[in-house]
Amino acid sequence: MKEVNPSHNPAVSFPLCLIGFGNAGQAFCQMLLEQHDHVKGTYGVDLQIVAISTRSKGTLFDPRGLDLSEVLTAVREGGRLDHRQSALTDVDPLGLIQKCGAKAMLELSTLSIEDGQPAISHIETAFENGMHVITANKGPLAWAYSRLKALADSKGLELLHETTVMDGAPVFNLAKETLPGCKVLGFKGILNSTTNFVLERMEAGDNYDEALQEAKRQGFAEADPSLDIDGWDAAAKTSALINVLMAGSTTPLTIDRTGIAEITLEDITAARERGGKLKLICEGILENGEAKGSVKPVFVSNQDMFSTIDATTSTLCLKTDLMGEICMVERQPEIQQTAYGVFSDTLTLIRRLKASGSL
Ligand SMILES: NC(=O)C1=CN([C@@H]2O[C@H](COP(=O)(O)OP(=O)(O)OC[C@H]3O[C@@H](n4cnc5c(N)ncnc54)[C@H](OP(=O)(O)O)[C@@H]3O)[C@@H](O)[C@H]2O)C=CC1
Ligand SMILES: N[C@@H](CC=O)C(=O)O
């Protein structure tokens, strides 16, 4: 759909606050730099990042909007955000969310598998301060989705989270927006790029440690890659899918989880000799009316579509009551596809606000 700013009115300023400025935050800002004028021309909205918080690289706040090009150069060249002294602040993330005056807070901080914190508090504080929320961090969905969604609804605010599973591929949008009347009864997928990549490299005879280093270098491994290897990231995604699409109340701890740490070259060779591969499979099922999840390495035969899911590629098959099974494949995503997930949620938010007349 082509939407053009029809009124030729001056663009409406739309300030954003970023909590977290690592691989995803920086890639999103790069995309925003490139797409800013297009968004302004199409939607009549002037997207401005007014605040950025990190754990160790510094915090920035400028209500007039930060110069993204300068910020990106500073962090890439010096590893810190101190490009302009006047924008530097030492306020903590919650204080920054309270004072920044943004219309939306983007939660792009590190996954915390034990409890989803402090990202859950960041989101609650944003809602308490009248901000919409976009999260790439799956912890809050895995630990507190129904509570956060209820809070958002009670305040007439949006909670958007497309990036949490399969980056920018429209997984949640597919189920929520394009399959009216359909119930999701279960799902099966390969949802963790790092483990899929490492297993494939091991199949090719490469060294496990080198494969993991490469996943870190390319920016898709978690800050603590044991969260990928031990199946925790996949468990958080499985939990998020169950909680959002199947009205479940799981956490990563209630997902039946086995990672790939124990898989040996002998296991991989044995799978090849049996005519297949080992893949880390995520599943959600309904058992006696209760939604349950599992993550485990499974033998997949070479005739199975899942055996073609190579490198960082991921896939998800949804089992529905009225539309049978629908599968989506995200072919070899890079960090740009993560950035697109956040960018697409930003546009979804703008479109919804415009449609409801609140922008
Ligand atoms: N990378 C990917 O391909 C994808 C990532 N995701 C999710 O997106 C999120 C971000 O990922 P990514 O950018 O790769 O992760 P990074 O580790 O590269 O970046 C995380 C950022 O969050 C900051 N941070 C951590 N804790 C806090 C805190 N308490 N307060 C403020 N800032 C904090 C870090 O600060 P500092 O810079 O000082 O370390 C860093 O800037 C994660 O939750 C991840 O699971 C989702 C889909 C794909
Ligand atoms: N660490 C994750 C990144 C995206 O969620 C992965 O490897 O899939």
Side-chain angles (χ1 to χ4, degrees), residues 21 52 60 66-75 81 83:
F21 196 59
I52 303 178
L60 295 174
L66 297 163
D67 182 328
L68 281 191
S69 180
E70 278 184 20
V71 177
L72 284 168
T73 304
V75 80
L81 298 184
H83 75 300

Side-chain angles (χ1 to χ4, degrees), residues 110-129:
T110 317
L111 169 64
S112 158
I113 202 66
E114 302 82 29
D115 56 6
Q117 291 288 12
I120 292 172
S121 303
H122 299 158
I123 293 176
E124 287 169 331
T125 304
F127 288 148
E128 297 300 345
N129 285 271

Side-chain angles (χ1 to χ4, degrees), residues 20-24 55-57 108-110 136 138 167 219 222 338:
F21 196 59
N23 297 306
R55 188 169 31 195
S56 63
K57 297 188 175 71
L108 309 175
S109 74
T110 317
K138 60 219 82 147
D167 311 306
E222 294 301 309
T338 305

Side-chain angles (χ1 to χ4, degrees), residues 140-337:
L141 297 195
W143 279 99
Y145 174 70
S146 57
R147 180 156 61 81
L148 293 174
K149 180 74 173 96
L151 184 58
D153 289 348
S154 73
K155 294 181 176 296
L157 295 166
E158 296 282 348
L159 171 60
L160 298 170
H161 46 75
E162 194 57 85
T163 325
T164 56
V165 179
M166 286 175 71
D167 311 306
V171 167
F172 293 105
N173 283 325
L174 172 82
K176 292 246 169 208
E177 304 294 333
T178 68
L179 295 170
C182 260
K183 226 184 189 161
V184 175
L185 304 175
F187 61 84
K188 187 170 161 184
I190 295 175
L191 301 175
N192 181 265
S193 292
T194 304
T195 44
N196 205 52
F197 181 83
V198 168
L199 284 173
E200 185 182 81
R201 286 293 181 95
M202 286 171 75
E203 278 158 25
D206 288 355
N207 174 287
Y208 166 92
D209 292 324
E210 279 169 20
L212 192 53
Q213 283 312 315
E214 180 61 14
K216 285 195 82 165
R217 197 191 61 72
Q218 290 189 28
F220 53 86
E222 294 301 309
D224 171 2
S226 70
L227 293 183
D228 295 299
I229 297 302
D230 293 337
W232 283 115
D233 175 79
K237 287 168 176 162
T238 301
S239 181
L241 285 168
I242 289 176
N243 297 349
V244 178
L245 300 183
M246 298 170 73
S249 50
T250 59
T251 73
L253 298 180
T254 65
I255 303 298
D256 177 13
R257 174 193 54 84
T258 308
I260 67 161
E262 305 295 319
I263 291 181
T264 60
L265 278 176
E266 288 71 33
D267 296 328
I268 286 174
T269 308
R272 188 188 307 127
E273 286 169 359
R274 274 179 72 199
K277 296 171 179 171
L278 293 175
K279 294 282 183 192
L280 191 70
I281 303 289
C282 303
E283 242 181 314
I285 55 162
L286 275 180
E287 207 174 83
N288 303 324
E290 193 191 343
K292 293 188 168 170
S294 66
V295 171
K296 50 183 75 156
V298 171
F299 172 80
V300 171
S301 101
N302 288 334
Q303 278 69 53
D304 189 321
M305 185 272 272
F306 276 42
S307 75
T308 66
I309 302 303
D310 61 342
T312 59
T313 302
S314 48
T315 188
L316 180 67
C317 295
L318 295 179
K319 202 169 129 201
T320 72
D321 57 349
L322 305 181
M323 227 340 260
E325 199 176 12
I326 304 176
C327 298
M328 186 184 293
V329 175
E330 180 191 23
R331 188 64 75 198
Q332 303 217 352
E334 296 183 357
I335 196 66
Q336 187 183 350
Q337 281 65 52

